[in-house]
């Protein structure tokens, strides 16, 4: 059974010193301190250790062979969004990262699909780069759960989503720059608590802000099984019903009615949680996603789905059917 992983991250092995290139700090660099390993550094501060599977396509393909993953959807690591930087610099770096991903897709068109990154803080530049992404063979874009101080209902962002719908570009929303980090200094809580909250913030912003109402054909997916959104949809709907003066100010439609427009990846790490997702969203809207190659991802890609009690028809949708529908691609392209 064809297996497509919609949630994987990749970086170039090297890139120029961004501090030197742009004239100020705050950017990520790689310190290849030993063979096959590198430290991601933000200026002089350690961010994360990564291995060569984060940059070497051959290593990724070997891992895919081991876990019987046929196709990976590639996107950058969210810390590379750099929405805080000067827009022209974010655009320049986005183009570098997007060209890198497009090159890998071009070299292995049956094994990889690419998503670009955009200077979302400058909608005009973002739309131009989105258009270029589609021309160089990418299937869409990955964006953050918010853009600096803007949530995803911000009016300035709407033209980007409108352009994505018009171009048929898939949009993958990934939590980043987690809220309330200062209140969560221990226990990896920004990743365990903040990330799920960020995804719910993003989904609720697009629903309550009327973005999904105005763009019914937008192909949008959210990472980590939608974070805390699915488990709180009852509370969200109840809030809409009892306080429309607060919740329905920009969109008069019940939030639950938008579930058919939303795709989620399957990264929930729990059989009961996955069953709930499928029951809530339908199998046509859940796609395998693993967060490869990072440790908080599904370390045996597809195992949760494959070991489930779902029928073969549902497993087929979760392992590739929903992904192809979201991406607007055909199964035959990867056989």
């Amino acid at each position: 059974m064809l297996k497509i992983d919609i949630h994987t991250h990749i970086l170039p092995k090297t890139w120029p010193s961004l501090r030197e290139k742009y004239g100020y700090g705050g950017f990520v660099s790689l310190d290849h301190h030993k063979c096959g390993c590198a430290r991601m550094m933000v200026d002089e501060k350690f961010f994360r250790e990564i291995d060569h599977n984060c940059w070497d396509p051959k290593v990724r393909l070997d891992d895919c062979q081991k876990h019987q993953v046929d196709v990976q959807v590639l996107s950058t690591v969210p810390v590379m969004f750099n929405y805080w930087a000067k827009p022209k610099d974010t655009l320049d770096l986005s183009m570098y990262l997007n060209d890198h991903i497009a090159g890998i897709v071009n070299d292995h068109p049956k094994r990889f699909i690419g998503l670009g990154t955009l200077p979302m803080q400058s909608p005009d530049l973002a739309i131009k780069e989105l258009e270029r992404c589609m021309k160089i063979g990418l299937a869409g874009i990955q964006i953050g759960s918010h853009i600096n101080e803007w949530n995803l209902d911000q009016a300035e962002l709407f033209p980007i989503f409108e352009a994505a719908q018009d171009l048929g570009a898939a949009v993958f929303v990934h939590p980043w720059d987690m809220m309330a980090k200062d209140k969560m200094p221990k226990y990896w809580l920004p990743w365990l608590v903040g990330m799920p909250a960020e995804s719910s913030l993003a989904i609720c912003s697009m629903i309550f802000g009327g973005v999904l109402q105005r763009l019914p054909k937008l192909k949008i997916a959210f990472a980590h099984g939608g974070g805390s959104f699915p488990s709180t949809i009852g509370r969200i709907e109840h809030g809409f019903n009892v306080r429309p003066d607060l919740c329905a100010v920009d969109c008069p439609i019940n939030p639950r009615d938008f579930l058919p427009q939303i795709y989620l990846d399957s990264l929930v790490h729990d059989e009961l949680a996955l069953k709930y997702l499928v029951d809530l969203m339908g199998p046509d809207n859940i796609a395998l996603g693993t967060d490869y190659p990072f440790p908080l991802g599904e370390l045996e890609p597809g195992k949760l789905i494959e070991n489930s009690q779902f029928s073969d028809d549902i497993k087929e949708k979760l392992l590739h059917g929903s992904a192809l529908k979201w991406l607007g691609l055909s199964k035959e392209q990867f056989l």
Side-chain angles (χ1 to χ4, degrees), residues 244-289:
D245 57 313
L246 299 177
C247 299
V249 293
D250 292 320
C251 178
I253 299 172
N254 188 314
R256 194 179 291 269
D257 292 349
F258 291 102
L259 298 186
Q261 290 179 232
I262 295 169
Y263 292 86
L264 305 176
D265 76 15
S266 64
L267 188 56
V268 293
H269 305 285
D270 183 271
E271 184 178 351
L272 289 176
L274 180 60
K275 184 180 184 302
Y276 171 71
L277 273 194
V278 173
D279 289 344
L280 177 70
M281 307 294 296
D284 291 305
N285 291 60
I286 307 296
L288 172 65

Side-chain angles (χ1 to χ4, degrees), residues 43-61:
D43 295 329
E44 303 303 317
K45 184 178 179 181
F46 174 80
F47 175 70
R48 175 184 288 163
E49 180 92 9
I50 58 174
D51 296 328
H52 54 176
N53 56 3
C54 201
W55 65 78
D56 189 335
K58 183 180 184 304
V59 175
R60 298 177 80 95
L61 289 172

